[in-house]
Every structure is written in C-alpha cells, then in structure tokens.
Amino acid sequence: MLSSLKNSRIIRGFVATLLGSGASKLILVIATFYCTNKLSQLEFGEFSFIRNTLNTILCICALNFTSLCTKFTAEAYKDFHSYFKLAILFIFSLAICVAVGVVLLILTDDQLEAITGSRSIVSYFRIIGALLPVFLLQPLIEGVLRGIMKFKLIGILQTVSSLCFFVFVAIGIHIDGVGGAIIGMLCYYLLYSLLSIAVLVKQVRLMRILRFSLNFKKHDLTVLGTMIVPVFLMSFVEAPINWWAQVLLVKYDTMASVGAMTAILQIRNLLMLIPSYFFSTFMAFAAKMRAEGDMMNYFSKFDRIGIYIFLASIFMLLIFAFLGEFLLSLYGKEYVSSHFALIIALVALPLMLLSNLLKINMVVMEKQRLILLISIIWNLGFIAALYALLNNNIDGTQAYYYAQGIGIILMFVISFYYYLKDKRRYYEKV
C-alpha cells in the first residue's frame, strides 16, 4: 500500500502543492503576526474587514468558479467542447466583476458608509472597484493551472506573491500605519494577478483554446444554466452572508471582535491547509476518473480519503485546542481571551473538511444546483443562529463560531446523504 501511495500521481501532485502553497501560507501567517503586533486589535480589525470584504467580492465574481475551471480544463483533453465552457466561464465572471466594480465606483460616500459602517475605509473601496477586473483573473487562472496539473508552478507563484504581500504590508505599516497596510495589501492582489496572467500566457496555447472555443454547438450554451449560474448564485448566498455576519459583529460588538474572529479563522485554516491542498489536487484526478468512467476507483478513493481526513482532523484539533492560548498569544495578549471561541471553531473542523470533500463529488457529478440548495440551507441556518445568539448577549466571537457550527452540521448531513445516493445508484447498475 505504501508503495502504491508513493507512486500515486495524486500523492505526487499533492506533495508538490503542499511544499509550494504551504510555504506561501506560512509566509502569510507570519505576515499576520507582524500586523497584529504592529497594529492595535481595532486597527487590525479594520484591515481584516477590508481584506475579508475584497475576498467576498472575489468569491462572488471568481473564487467559486475555480473548481469549475479545474474541471473544464481537466476534461478538455477528452472533450474539446470543454474549451468553450471554459471561455464562457471567463467571460461570465469578467462581466459580473466589471458590474460590481462599476457599482463601487458610482455609489456615493454616504451610501458606501451605510454599507460598510465606516467612512474611513470608503476610499479603499473605490480603488477595489477600479482594479476588480484584474483581481478576478488570479483565481480563475489558478484553476486552469490545476486542470493541467501544474502544481509545482502554482506553489512557486503563490510563494513569490506571498513574499510580496509581507514586504508591501510591512512597508505600508511603516509609512502610514493601517492605511499603508491596506494599500500594501491591494498592491499584493494586483501583482499576484499580473504574475498569474504572465504564467498563463507562457503555459497555455491561448490561440488554440480560442479556436476550439469558436467551434461550439448550441447545446454547449446550456452550461450557463446547469453549472455556471448556479455556482454564481451560490456565491451570492455564501459570500454576502459571511460578510454580513462580520457586519453584525461590528454592530453588536466592536471591530475588535472581527480581529479576534479573523485570528481564530487563520488558526483553523492552518489545520485545513493540508487537506485543502489535497482537495484542490484531487479535484483534477476525480474529474479525470469520471471522464474515463472509472467509477469503482472513484468511489473507493472518496471513501478512503474520507476516513483518513476524519481521523487526522480529530487528532489535530485536540493538539491545537491544547496549544490554543499560546497560538493566540502570538497575535497579541488581547487575543488570548478568545481561547474558548477557538475551541468552538475547532470542534466543527472534522465535519467541515468532510463536507468539502463531498463537495468535490457534487462538482464532478455536475450537481451545481444541489450545491446551491445546500449552500442556501446551511447559510440561512448560520445567519439565523447568529442573530439569535447575538440578541441573547452571547460574546460576538463565540456566537460567530457557534452559529457557523450549526450551519456546518446541516451542510454535512445533506452532502453525505446525496453522496451515498450517488454511490448506491452506481452499484445498482454494476
């Protein structure tokens, strides 16, 4: 078994992703430690709010399309119509991004203040609106590179850009405090996108893809209604609700609670780092197995990976819960008081990871409408629970992770039910 794992293309791709992308995430974590120790918790909350809002916008316009980019690219070697689907995906994402950018530019200062809750950060959203069409290209291009299995190249690109993030933000803080940090962060997003474009031009024959894209059939346009639009609508559920949850923390508590929530989220993301890299690698292989009709191997791999992920996540959450106070102290002494909120966040980790694995099955099986339905159900559960907890004077950061845990349970139960249904349907045909 060890020999087969060693020779597995999935494992080799995962290791390449882990080494490169893992290094980039480590740099981002160190950069965050630098920010939390140079800025007050309130200032870091403001910095985090803008970064989280930008990520929310990118999630709506592009990030949720990354898995589809990987799927279409991985399938293109078997079906050239996937090139057309990929082109449609890029055009659709760009159109949405331009529309959002225009809205950010034409809204008045009073309107933006009403939305964000702070006049001091309005000017940064103008910059975001102008640069948004460029920002969106990075996650889409990364999805394409995963589809052609350039995992090592992705890792190098992420590591270089993360180093730039650290340098830009550090210089920004030195020059102009939190304002300089925000400008440095925006420079990082811009450079990351430009580097991604340069890499794509070098790695992919764009004219060949364009030629294939023009030879489409009318039936191929159905990809908009069956896959792209449902994923887009899902973005309008998940990203805005997650952003609105942060707005609620600010209104019911303070901006400092957003800082504490962000610090805890980063610690939990450290635990999710290795599995998430594996999932992004596995996506390309799962799409290929389905394209080849190798469904026995397909479901066998999902079952084994699920067991390994669950056991490993239980072990790691216990370790991180024990080290919680120390980890929070790295952000600053004022973050240690959020230790219990960290434990709440960690308890939901196993089901969150398993849900992400099961989502790969739904993407590959082209069940984007089901993904949308699950997203609506669990996010409504999350935001309803958060309202109830905050109105009962529960600590803001703890309330956020209690409510999120309730939503994650809903997401896992529904996802697991439909995975078993897919598996049973396949074995009944055999």
Side-chain angles (χ1 to χ4, degrees):
M1 182 177 177
L2 289 175
S3 176
S4 63
L5 286 175
K6 185 177 179 180
N7 295 322
S8 170
R9 290 185 65 199
I10 297 177
I11 297 300
R12 292 201 302 271
F14 163 61
V15 171
T17 303
L18 176 62
L19 293 177
S21 301
S24 74
K25 293 300 182 184
L26 179 61
I27 294 168
L28 292 176
V29 170
I30 295 172
T32 302
F33 290 156
Y34 180 85
C35 290
T36 56
N37 283 280
K38 288 293 183 179
L39 303 172
S40 69
Q41 188 173 0
L42 190 63
E43 289 175 328
F44 180 67
E46 186 173 305
F47 173 82
S48 299
F49 183 77
I50 293 177
R51 187 179 182 187
N52 294 341
T53 302
L54 175 55
N55 285 335
T56 297
I57 297 172
L58 287 176
C59 188
I60 293 172
C61 301
L63 280 171
N64 276 354
F65 291 132
T66 302
S67 60
L68 280 183
C69 284
T70 300
K71 171 181 164 60
F72 293 153
T73 306
E75 292 176 346
Y77 84 105
K78 282 279 188 182
D79 180 10
F80 72 86
H81 290 292
S82 290
Y83 286 119
F84 173 69
K85 296 176 183 178
L86 191 62
I88 285 293
L89 180 59
F90 267 79
I91 294 170
F92 182 87
S93 183
L94 179 62
I96 297 301
C97 211
V98 169
V100 174
V102 169
V103 170
L104 289 176
L105 290 173
I106 64 176
L107 286 175
T108 66
D109 288 353
D110 290 339
Q111 289 171 327
L112 280 174
E113 182 183 1
I115 294 172
T116 63
S118 174
R119 166 115 13 201
S120 62
I121 61 177
V122 164
S123 59
Y124 301 116
F125 283 94
R126 305 287 188 200
I127 300 174
I128 290 172
L131 296 176
L132 205 52
V134 181
F135 289 165
L136 85 92
L137 292 174
Q138 182 276 316
L140 296 182
I141 291 172
E142 184 171 311
V144 171
L145 293 176
R146 291 194 188 282
I148 59 177
M149 301 185 183
K150 296 292 183 179
F151 304 113
K152 182 178 179 180
L153 182 59
I154 293 171
I156 293 172
L157 181 61
Q158 290 179 341
T159 301
V160 170
S161 63
S162 297
L163 284 170
C164 293
F165 174 81
F166 197 166
V167 172
F168 291 163
V169 171
I171 292 174
I173 291 175
H174 179 73
I175 295 174
D176 190 30
V178 65
I182 294 169
I183 294 297
M185 174 187 66
L186 296 179
C187 289
Y188 151 75
Y189 278 100
L190 178 61
L191 180 63
Y192 197 179
S193 294
L194 294 177
L195 286 174
S196 298
I197 294 170
V199 168
L200 180 69
V201 170
K202 187 174 181 180
Q203 292 293 322
V204 177
R205 297 176 183 177
L206 294 179
M207 292 307 297
R208 181 170 180 264
I209 293 176
L210 180 60
R211 186 171 68 253
F212 276 125
S213 299
L214 294 175
N215 296 323
F216 69 92
K217 296 179 181 179
K218 186 177 180 180
H219 176 73
D220 292 330
L221 288 171
T222 59
V223 71
L224 276 170
T226 59
M227 300 181 72
I228 295 176
V229 171
V231 171
F232 173 65
L233 294 177
M234 182 179 66
S235 301
F236 263 105
V237 175
E238 291 186 355
I241 284 183
N242 187 50
W243 178 79
W244 183 246
Q246 295 175 54
V247 173
L248 291 178
L249 291 185
V250 175
K251 290 184 176 181
Y252 280 87
D253 203 328
T254 66
M255 192 69 80
S257 65
V258 177
M261 181 275 294
T262 302
I264 291 172
L265 184 62
Q266 189 169 72
I267 293 173
R268 191 174 70 182
N269 284 345
L270 278 175
L271 276 171
M272 296 181 66
L273 197 61
I274 294 177
S276 65
Y277 288 152
F278 180 83
F279 294 157
S280 63
T281 304
F282 181 59
M283 169 68 77
F285 291 95
K288 187 175 181 181
M289 281 186 282
R290 183 178 185 251
E292 294 173 345
D294 188 10
M295 300 308 294
M296 181 72 75
N297 195 31
Y298 176 91
F299 286 111
S300 175
K301 278 187 166 51
F302 267 97
D303 290 344
R304 281 186 290 167
I305 291 169
I307 293 172
Y308 296 152
I309 289 293
F310 180 76
L311 294 176
S313 62
I314 292 292
F315 177 71
M316 292 306 298
L317 80 84
L318 292 174
I319 293 177
F320 271 58
F322 178 74
L323 297 174
E325 290 190 2
F326 167 72
L327 293 172
L328 288 169
S329 69
L330 297 176
Y331 293 90
K333 293 181 179 179
E334 52 195 339
Y335 291 86
V336 176
S337 61
S338 299
H339 183 215
F340 187 66
L342 172 62
I343 293 175
I344 298 169
L346 292 175
V347 168
L349 181 69
L351 294 185
M352 175 176 276
L353 290 174
L354 289 175
S355 296
N356 289 341
L357 175 64
L358 295 172
K359 185 177 179 181
I360 294 175
N361 171 66
M362 288 184 281
V363 171
V364 172
M365 292 292 188
E366 301 184 359
K367 295 187 175 182
Q368 277 66 30
R369 292 175 181 174
L370 175 60
I371 296 174
L372 172 60
L373 176 62
I374 293 173
S375 177
I376 292 172
I377 292 172
W378 91 260
N379 276 282
L380 287 178
F382 165 47
I383 204 69
L386 183 59
Y387 264 113
L389 291 167
L390 289 174
N391 278 305
N392 282 279
N393 299 317
I394 304 297
D395 173 80
T397 309
Q398 292 181 21
Y400 181 91
Y401 286 108
Y402 272 131
Q404 193 180 70
I406 292 171
I408 289 169
I409 291 172
L410 291 171
M411 176 171 56
F412 170 75
V413 170
I414 301 172
S415 301
F416 188 57
Y417 169 78
Y418 279 100
Y419 171 75
L420 291 178
K421 192 174 180 179
D422 286 338
K423 186 178 176 182
R424 184 170 60 251
R425 184 182 298 115
Y426 165 72
Y427 281 109
E428 285 175 353
K429 292 179 180 179
V430 176

